[in-house]
Amino acid sequence: MSAGGGTKAILAALGANLGIALTKFVAWLLTGSSSMLAEAIHSVADSGNQGLLLLGGKRSTRKATPEHPFGYGRERYVYAFIVSIVLFSVGGLFALYEAWHKIQHPEAIEEWKWVPIVVLVIAICLEGYSFRTAIKESNHTRGKTSWVDYVRRAKAPELPVVLLEDAGALVGLVFALLGVGLTLITGNGIWDGIGTGAIGLLLVAIAGILAVETKSLLIGEGANPEDVVKLEKAICAGPGVERIIHMKTLYLGPEELLVAAKIAVPPTEQAQEVARHINETETRIREALPIARVIYLEPDIYHPAKATNMTAADPAVAN
């Protein structure tokens, strides 16, 4: 995923959420609806989340230092994980607290009854625009991958985060519209509380999904199976490489992959020839997978018995 596509989606979501938050707070002040307050806090949390994603993207571009020799690419994962915590605590738990309070002490909406409906309809339109932008930008890199797999397998966290936030916001707005609408129709404020509770549960669920996926990226994920195949073909395509003894990959950031491999070279080759073949192999790897920017290749002589023992000790080793 290009950083530009993610930034465009984040800015669209940020602009939409700031405008929505302001109108929701006005509606809450006029009507006292807990659904409107929960949705207003939700929009504020989302706006803060987009700010965190932008900050993470900015900090991730810092140059490598002796203390951090592989750079700061994972800053984007750190801030995406913080987003999930903010969404859970500020958005989800606050909404659940408001729902409990409203169900315990339901209050009908007596004044400015039309305001929440108008605000929610406007918010749905704005969130729909933001969601459409995120979908459009995601389609540039998603290909034929399903949306579920795209969210689970994407190495750049920004677009999946915005997609989940916007989808959750749209569903939450529908919950709020139902809660407010039923409260206005029946005169019973308990529906407002139920709508608020549904919003809270939705936000907690989305926060959980984001936390699990970004935690996996923070721990360290390797290349996708399709990219592993490309790497293997590129490494073995030259005359100076007999086979891959074993190979490991690791994402240092969304657009930077580390490749470390032990390769079998002909036992009769001289050091100068081995060095030339390694350089040629690195060039092939970068042509096959441009994000493979950090490459370590260790030449060795292939011994079947030794390779078998290594495989038994480490299931990730490929002979």
Side-chain angles (χ1 to χ4, degrees), residues 38-287:
E39 274 297 311
I41 297 299
H42 177 189
S43 295
V44 170
D46 281 353
S47 300
N49 289 341
Q50 274 103 50
L52 287 170
L53 292 175
L54 290 172
L55 178 61
K58 179 68 175 178
R59 292 179 62 84
S60 69
T61 60
R62 290 180 294 168
K63 294 182 179 180
T65 63
E67 186 178 6
H68 296 91
F70 292 110
Y72 293 85
R74 287 197 182 184
E75 288 259 20
R76 288 163 71 178
Y77 300 152
V78 173
Y79 281 88
F81 187 77
I82 294 174
V83 163
S84 68
I85 303 302
V86 172
L87 193 63
F88 175 80
S89 57
V90 178
L93 294 184
F94 179 82
L96 290 174
Y97 168 77
E98 276 297 311
W100 176 82
H101 177 74
K102 194 71 174 183
I103 291 172
Q104 292 291 318
H105 307 284
E107 296 177 3
I109 299 174
E110 300 292 345
E111 299 180 356
W112 300 92
K113 295 183 179 182
W114 55 271
V115 171
I117 302 298
V118 173
V119 168
L120 289 171
V121 171
I122 293 173
I124 288 173
C125 293
L126 291 174
E127 285 289 0
Y129 168 75
S130 175
F131 192 39
R132 177 179 175 274
T133 302
I135 290 174
K136 182 179 178 181
E137 295 301 324
S138 299
N139 281 333
H140 292 323
T141 54
R142 184 173 67 91
K144 296 182 179 180
T145 306
S146 69
W147 286 108
V148 173
D149 286 341
Y150 177 73
V151 170
R152 295 191 61 186
R153 296 176 59 183
K155 305 304 180 184
E158 290 84 1
L159 280 176
V161 169
V162 174
L163 280 168
L164 285 174
E165 279 190 350
D166 286 350
L170 283 171
V171 176
L173 287 167
V174 172
F175 288 157
L177 192 60
L178 289 173
V180 171
L182 289 171
T183 297
L184 292 174
I185 292 171
T186 64
N188 189 347
I190 196 171
W191 293 108
D192 194 18
I194 292 173
T196 307
I199 294 169
L201 292 174
L202 175 69
L203 294 180
V204 169
I206 291 175
I209 294 171
L210 287 177
V212 169
E213 297 304 323
T214 52
K215 172 177 171 286
S216 179
L217 292 168
L218 276 172
I219 292 173
E221 289 188 1
N224 295 327
E226 297 85 353
D227 290 340
V228 170
V229 172
K230 292 179 183 179
L231 291 171
E232 291 173 344
K233 289 182 178 179
I235 291 173
C236 296
V241 180
E242 292 183 335
R243 65 167 60 219
I244 299 172
I245 299 175
H246 65 82
M247 179 177 70
K248 295 183 184 293
T249 62
L250 180 68
Y251 270 90
L252 302 175
E255 290 145 10
E256 188 173 20
L257 183 69
L258 181 149
V259 179
K262 178 175 284 191
I263 56 176
V265 298
T268 57
E269 280 197 343
Q270 297 181 353
Q272 186 174 1
E273 294 175 319
V274 171
R276 177 169 58 85
H277 289 312
I278 287 177
N279 291 333
E280 292 172 351
T281 302
E282 289 181 353
T283 300
R284 292 195 303 271
I285 289 174
R286 291 191 170 94
E287 289 175 350

